[in-house]
Amino acid sequence: MAISFKDRVVIVTGAGAGLGRCHALEFARRGAKVVVNDLGGSVDGAGGSSEAALKVVEEIKALGAEAIANGASVSDRAGAESIINDAINKWGRVDVVVNNAGILRDKSFAKMELNDFELVLKVHLLGSAYVTKAAWPHFIKQSYGRVVMTTSSSGLYGNFGQSNYGAAKLGLVGLMNTLKIEGAKANIRINTIAPVAATRMTENLGIPEEVFKQLKPELISPAVVYLASEDAPSGTIIEAGAGYFAKAQIVESKGVKIGQTASVEDFAAAFEKITDMTDAKPHANGSEIIMKILSP
Ligand code: NAI
């Protein structure tokens, strides 16, 4: 059955270009009313203009759907609130937040200015928290909410020159892990997308043109839209690119109980067994670890 967003109000941050634009268009095609947020700056976060968001609003209107533009920065608390307020003022509700806005300030850790470290954390991690926080009371009140975070393989696995970006991106997984627990009772579900796509963010990475062409940004949207739908799971990380989709997960090895006399030498002797990932398992929440530690 077709997945519909009729009567749903969807926020997509950073939707003036790249992936966010594709997500916004796909939600609109499925009947959603969309707030197209975009600061409209450069890839390193400098500058800003509401033109990018306005253009996508026009594209959505051409599809016969409803949309409004918001030019605020997600990393500004009042700006983040304004995105949600615009949705409430226009349509009286907000159902979905897709935290997609992002910038890069790549440099090796040795050369990185701490200002660039902070700015990247502010946009990705704090920006996503600010927008989600502003939507949260509405989600609780209506017992419905869907959030999609945007992480990256650089956060999940690391990438040279992206210590700031990687830290911010994995921080979003941590945010999801707790929000999925806190939101469960109110039917709020949080998921995370890890995209690989041809956008201005990836155009200077030296990816061969033939490959770049396959990494269509619109091929990420099916996963994002599903992860924001009524039947979405919660707490799931999906990798997506060029029509490939997979689940990523943090798992823990079976472990070894050395016991109350554990010494450095004991740990060293058991290291191989401790780090053996055969039968590794994920955990639903942090308390499961305590149960595992204390179980006989
Ligand atoms: P993009 O640069 O085309 O899009 C990002 C958008 O966010 C831009 O339109 C920009 O104006 C907007 N933006 C930046 N700072 C903002 C702020 N403070 N407030 C509001 N809007 C802001 O890049 P792309 O590739 O579409 O990136 C989208 C998301 O996907 C980002 O979070 C990025 O980190 C993530 N991502 C992208 C990958 C890729 O392969 N393209 C890989 C992994 C993650």
Side-chain angles (χ1 to χ4, degrees), residues 13-20 37-43 45 52 72-75 99-104 123-124 150-153 165 169 194-202:
T13 69
L19 294 171
N37 157 264
D38 205 293
L39 178 64
S42 60
V43 82
S73 171
V74 296
S75 65
N99 290 302
N100 166 81
I103 59 164
L104 290 180
V123 173
H124 292 273
T150 307
T151 188
S152 163
S153 56
Y165 182 75
K169 286 306 204 188
V196 179
T199 66
R200 67 176 191 176
M201 205 178 255
T202 45

Side-chain angles (χ1 to χ4, degrees), residues 19 50 103 128 158 169 176 187 200 207 233 241 247 262 286 291:
L19 294 171
S50 51
I103 59 164
S128 300
K169 286 306 204 188
M176 171 189 78
N187 188 18
R200 67 176 191 176
I207 300 171
K247 174 173 166 165
M291 305 304 286

Side-chain angles (χ1 to χ4, degrees), residues 263-282:
S263 69
V264 177
E265 284 72 24
D266 292 338
F267 178 84
F271 188 74
E272 213 170 300
K273 212 169 157 209
I274 290 167
T275 55
D276 178 358
M277 298 309 282
T278 317
D279 297 327
K281 286 204 175 75

Side-chain angles (χ1 to χ4, degrees), residues 188-223:
I188 304 170
R189 301 183 193 166
I190 330 286
N191 296 290
T192 298
I193 187 81
V196 179
T199 66
R200 67 176 191 176
M201 205 178 255
T202 45
E203 70 191 353
N204 295 321
L205 297 182
I207 300 171
E209 207 182 313
E210 269 316 296
V211 179
F212 203 66
K213 263 200 261 170
Q214 291 178 44
L215 296 172
K216 299 186 186 76
E218 55 268 34
L219 285 173
I220 310 302
S221 302

Side-chain angles (χ1 to χ4, degrees), residues 244-260:
Y244 161 89
F245 302 96
K247 174 173 166 165
Q249 192 166 37
I250 296 174
V251 296
E252 187 164 306
S253 70
K254 208 157 166 249
V256 174
K257 284 178 182 151
I258 301 175
Q260 299 290 314

